[in-house]
Structures are given as structure tokens and as C-alpha cells.
Amino acid sequence: MAVADDVLASFNAADPATQWRRFEQLLWFDEGLGIWLDVSRMDMGPAQLQELRPRLTRAFEAMAALEAGAIANPDEQRQVGHYWLRNPELAPDPQAGLHIQQEIQRIEQFGAAICAGSLTNAAAVPFTDVLWIGIGGSGLGPLLITRALQDPGRGLPFHFFDNVDPDGFSRTLAGLAGRLTTTLVVVVSKSGGTPEPYLGMRQARQAVEAEGGSWSAQAVAVTMLGSKLDATAAAEGWLARFDMFDWVGGRSSVTSAVGLLPGVLVGADMGGFLAGAAAMDVCTRAPSLESNPAALLAAAWYAAGEGSGRRDMVVLPYRDRLELFSRYLQQLVMESLGKKLDRAGQVVHQGLAVYGNKGSTDQHAYVQQLRDGVDNFFASFIEVLEDPAEIAPIDGEVPADFLSGFLQGTRSALMEGGRQSLSITLRRLDATSLGALIALFERAVGLYAELVNVNAYDQPGVEAGKKAAAGILELQAKLELLLADGVARSLEELRQSLALDSPEPLFWILRHLCANARGYQANGQWGQPSSLLFSRG
Ligand code: PA5
């Protein structure tokens, strides 16, 4: 039933009875999932909703077409099929549906065999650890799954390379020293050509082999079939290869092997995870605003940010296990919606900034500004009702009651300051509800992208960054070749020799080289870059 206009117009009403009526009418709940969504403290007025309703109808149609196999990512000429991963019968091509089912089965069997110790390293010793190598969508989902779902003593300990920071490599490898021959190394890259996981893989391989391990008996590839990584893994006979389907984007790949494999390796119920996502997909297909939680979210985001991201989304999960959810959403939302051009080619600079960490920790960090400072955000509270039984009250003090009280307190304090917030409550946090929560945001992002007419499934900015970085590395190679003759040169001389517009990139490269034992010297004042003479001795 459509929410009454006077209720919609009552944001921040002082009268408690009006507030209560608004809460009741703008509260969505699903009994099967045990999830509530409350958007009563978002400022969605009747005029805004009137404008949004026909556009939402078109957004529902677009999402239905996407699920039916339309080329929803025209820039890459790709279908967008993450909804098929949790309901393979939806896949428009029955072969694809069958392939999804087979992959799920293979992942479950593989994970079970690794955890049971029946699938071992080359020396017949069970695996003790997992090193996961992947970045962006290939890293954040697994980080979230393992942090949210692993219980103490269950499954294998996880370690991550999600960057090319040598200090990160070194610390992670030091933590694995002595166990590298029993570490399962999973290299994840949809494209199979991203530099970060490639470099991580090379470092991991060297370290594993230095301890006497057999790389191909310990390595697993998760990538698009036929990619460079897949070809290497096939040629070298790696322990396993799993498909990261062409029609699944990195940031929506968590219901593929990217999320399922780490889930089974930490002993989580990934069948439940898929079922939760599938059940939420059913809810978010409802073609009306009031009965569709993803549409409520998308409409609330739109209204808060006036359709152009004027307010940031602050994510506050009140559970440590969900700490990574803020970062996960940051990628899902910002990489999907942060676009320069709309689908008609107009410059729009769309986006929706996301940040957050966890409650009530953040109460003692930035919530002060949320309450009293610049009104450029809306908070998204995430609450879990069922508490773990093992933490007993002491002298009648129940920590979970404090956590719950802090949430309500912050929510009320924000309201008093006229600040907007929405709240998602999970009856319990488990694999099923996590799958549902992720699916809720995936669909909200898809619907919001339709409302603002951007392609949510490409990432031209990421590609541009990759290209620019490759250009700098090429420049460094040319610079090192030039300086190989041992002659000292100024930045201006180097700039001219390399036909550059500016010496600045050379200064950055040489400052880094000189800070390390790479054979380069600088004579002159570092604070006056033009005075410096660089040479290789
Ligand atoms: O969501 C995305 O598409 C990106 O963030 C990718 O996941 C990221 O760039 C890593 O790409 P790949 O999996 O191809 O290595």
C-alpha cells in the first residue's frame, strides 16, 4: 500500500505519535529472512516520491531485462549475470545455468576435501593456511566473508595479498614462514592480467618454492576461463581452476567462486549464503516501492542526495564481524555509481560517497561531526539482534544491551540534529543473512543507477588508473636506461632527453629510487628539485 502523503511529509516531526506512524508505515520486514529496513528517518517527501515513482517503474523493467540476459553493460558489450549465480535456473542460456551448478558443486567438494585434509600438498601433508591474492572485487568480498563468517577453530586461517606494498608482502610472508609448503595459494583475477595479483603471485611463488613447496600442487586460479592466468594455470597443472564468468563483474562476484571458495574454506554455510541472496532477490524483484526494500533504499539515497550524491552514505554496522562491510559497500557503490558520463554520453559526474567502520566505535571518532557538523551525509545503521551466548553478564551488565542502547542513542541524537538515517536490522548474523544483505545492496545499486541513468557495471576510471600507472613504469624503464651511462643530469636535462612536458614524474621516480639501495645518487637540495643532479654510480 502506498504511504500516505502526510506521512511522507512528516520527516523530523516533533510529535511522537506522528513519528511512530511514520516509523510503522516506512518499515519493511520479511519474516523468512528476519530482516527489517526502516527508512522513516530519511527525508523522502511526497513530491520527490511522485517524481520517482514512474522512474522506478522503468528501473524495475530495466532490472528485469538485465536478469533476462540483456547487454546491461554496453561499454563492455557484456551481460550482467550475478543474479543467476544464486538462481542458476534464471540464466537465459541453460548451458550457463548448468555450468554455474557444476562450479558450485566443484567448489563445495574442493573446499571440503581441503578442510578434511584429504586433498593435500605434494608431500601428502594437509594444508594449514590459505593465502588469497586478489584486489578490488577479487579481494574485498573474500575479506568480508572470512571476517564475518569464520568462527574460532573452524576452517583454515586466511592471509591476504590485496596490494603490491612490499611491506605488506613481507609481513604476510613472515607470518606464514615455516608453513609455506602447506599454504594453499589462491590467485584471483577476473581479467587475469591485473598487475597487483600478478606481482603478488610471483612473490608468493618464490617464497613457496624457497621453502621447498611445489607451486602447481598448491596453487589455485579463480579467473575467467581463457584468461592469461587461466592459460598459465592450465599449462602448469595447478591444483584447481574455477571460473569467474565473463558476465560477472568483480564487485558483484561474491556469489561466485570469489566468495564461495573462501566461505567453504573457513567452514561457513555457503549454501545458506546463496539461499539468502536468492531470497532477497525475490524480495527486491517486487515491482512497487513500498514492498521492495532495494527500491526503498535507492529512493532514500536519491532523495537524500537530490539525485546527485550530495549526501554521503555513512555505514555503521554494530557488529565487529561486519567491520569490513563498510569497505565492501564502498567499492560496490562508488565503483558502480561514480561515473563521469551518463548513458546518453552527457557529463554528469555522478556518485555516492561511502565511508564507515563500525558502531559504537565510531561514536568516539567522527559521530561528533555527524551530530553537530556539516549536514552532508545520511547514516546507515546495521543492527544484529541475536547475541552470542558465551559472553555472560557481569553484575547484571549485558554488553549487548549497551551496544543496542548506543545504536538507539546515536540514531536519536542524529534525529535531534535533523540528520537523516536509515536502519537495517538482522535477526541474526549468519551466512544466510549476509548473503541477503549483500544482495539487497547489489539491487539497490542497480536500481539507483537506473534512476540516475549511469552504467553501474563498467569502471572506466579504474582502467584509466591502470593505464596511467603502466605509463609511469614505462617511463621509469626509459629513465633508468638513460642514467645507466653514469653521467649526472639535472631534471631539466632528463626531461628534454625523454621529451616530457614536465620533470615532475621524473622527480617522483628518482626520489623513490634514491631512498633505496638501487644505485642512484642525488647531489643538491631535495627542497629545491631544480638544483639536483642525478646519477647512477
Ligand atoms: O569490480 C571490479 O571490476 C574491479 O574492482 C576489479 O575487481 C579489480 O580491478 C580487479 O580486477 P581483476 O579481478 O580483473 O584482477
Side-chain angles (χ1 to χ4, degrees), residues 157-194:
F158 259 71
H159 314 266
F160 287 89
F161 277 179
D162 65 345
N163 197 359
V164 286
D165 175 10
D167 188 43
F169 286 155
S170 155
R171 281 160 45 125
T172 305
L173 292 174
L176 284 166
R179 301 194 311 283
L180 278 162
T181 60
T182 53
T183 296
L184 183 77
V185 186
V186 188
V187 186
V188 191
S189 173
K190 179 184 168 183
S191 59
T194 306

Side-chain angles (χ1 to χ4, degrees), residues 83-133:
Y83 299 105
W84 313 335
L85 296 172
R86 48 263 194 163
N87 186 351
E89 284 171 13
L90 266 189
D93 169 8
Q95 281 311 312
L98 189 65
H99 181 44
I100 296 168
Q101 276 167 338
Q102 288 166 341
E103 287 296 280
I104 294 172
Q105 230 170 37
R106 287 180 58 232
I107 292 162
E108 278 169 354
Q109 285 165 357
F110 178 82
I114 295 281
C115 290
S118 53
L119 190 56
T120 62
N121 75 357
V125 180
F127 288 101
T128 54
D129 296 84
V130 179
L131 173 59
W132 191 275
I133 305 175

Side-chain angles (χ1 to χ4, degrees), residues 34-56:
I35 297 184
W36 289 256
L37 168 67
D38 158 33
V39 290
S40 65
R41 295 195 172 183
M42 295 295 283
D43 189 5
M44 292 190 285
Q48 275 166 319
L49 279 199
Q50 203 179 349
E51 183 218 324
L52 275 182
R53 280 185 199 280
R55 294 164 64 189
L56 268 172

Side-chain angles (χ1 to χ4, degrees), residues 132 134-148 159-165 171 250-252 254 313-317 319-336 352-359 362 366 380 382 434 437-438 441 445:
W132 191 275
I135 196 162
S138 300
L140 281 164
L143 271 160
L144 170 65
I145 295 281
T146 52
R147 300 274 167 85
H159 314 266
F160 287 89
F161 277 179
D162 65 345
N163 197 359
V164 286
D165 175 10
R171 281 160 45 125
R251 56 193 171 276
S252 46
V254 74
M313 185 194 308
V314 182
V315 185
L316 284 162
R319 256 309 130 96
D320 289 1
R321 279 177 184 260
L322 286 178
E323 185 178 335
L324 250 290
F325 194 59
S326 315
R327 268 172 65 195
Y328 179 82
L329 282 188
Q330 193 170 57
Q331 191 214 10
L332 175 65
V333 175
M334 294 179 74
E335 204 166 284
S336 302
L352 178 49
V354 179
Y355 64 93
N357 176 38
K358 63 179 179 182
D362 291 354
Y366 54 77
S380 302
I382 302 176
L434 183 63
L437 191 62
I438 291 171
F441 278 90
V445 167

